[in-house]
Amino acid sequence: MTAVLAWSTFLIAFWTLVPQTISIHRYRHEPEALRGVSMLSLSVIVVDYIGWSAYGILTAAWALWIPSVIGAVLTIVTVVSLLRVRSRRPSGAPGGPSRRGTATPTGEAQTPWEEQP
């Protein structure tokens, strides 16, 4: 019964990642479209899976640590994919995005979250 509960919980948690993973794949060439995917939530999920993996290993509960290790690996792959997409330069933008902001043609400073006229 413990194994069924552990795997069921893993599948529920795993399916929460599916929409974000699909978005990352669908918009892999459009980094701006992925601004809504939270790196913080993915990082918390990775830490959670690692914690449950460690607990399962220390208590010899294979039904707990096996799905947790699988979940950690899949979530890490999702995080790496998101980082790779976000590190790409948008098409048509020389130099790509900048965290410090840019200068407009008039010389005014512009931060990345301000829209250009």
Side-chain angles (χ1 to χ4, degrees):
M1 184 64 167
T2 305
V4 171
L5 181 62
W7 281 99
S8 299
T9 304
F10 162 73
L11 289 174
I12 292 168
F14 173 73
W15 282 108
T16 62
L17 291 173
V18 170
Q20 291 184 346
T21 305
I22 290 171
S23 292
I24 292 168
H25 179 71
R26 181 178 293 156
Y27 299 110
R28 65 187 176 274
H29 300 295
E30 302 173 41
E32 284 295 314
L34 296 173
R35 293 178 81 185
V37 178
S38 172
M39 186 61 71
L40 178 62
S41 67
L42 289 172
S43 301
V44 169
I45 292 169
V46 169
V47 170
D48 182 55
Y49 275 132
I50 290 171
W52 281 112
S53 298
Y55 178 77
I57 290 169
L58 292 173
T59 59
W62 66 269
L64 180 62
W65 72 262
I66 291 175
S68 296
V69 167
I70 293 169
V73 169
L74 293 175
T75 309
I76 290 169
V77 168
T78 303
V79 167
V80 169
S81 298
L82 182 60
L83 289 172
R84 291 179 80 188
V85 168
R86 287 186 175 171
S87 69
R88 292 185 186 144
R89 294 180 181 169
S91 60
S98 171
R99 290 185 175 258
R100 296 184 182 172
T102 58
T104 62
T106 60
E108 298 172 24
Q110 180 179 354
T111 56
W113 53 86
E114 294 179 63
E115 291 188 25
Q116 294 184 6

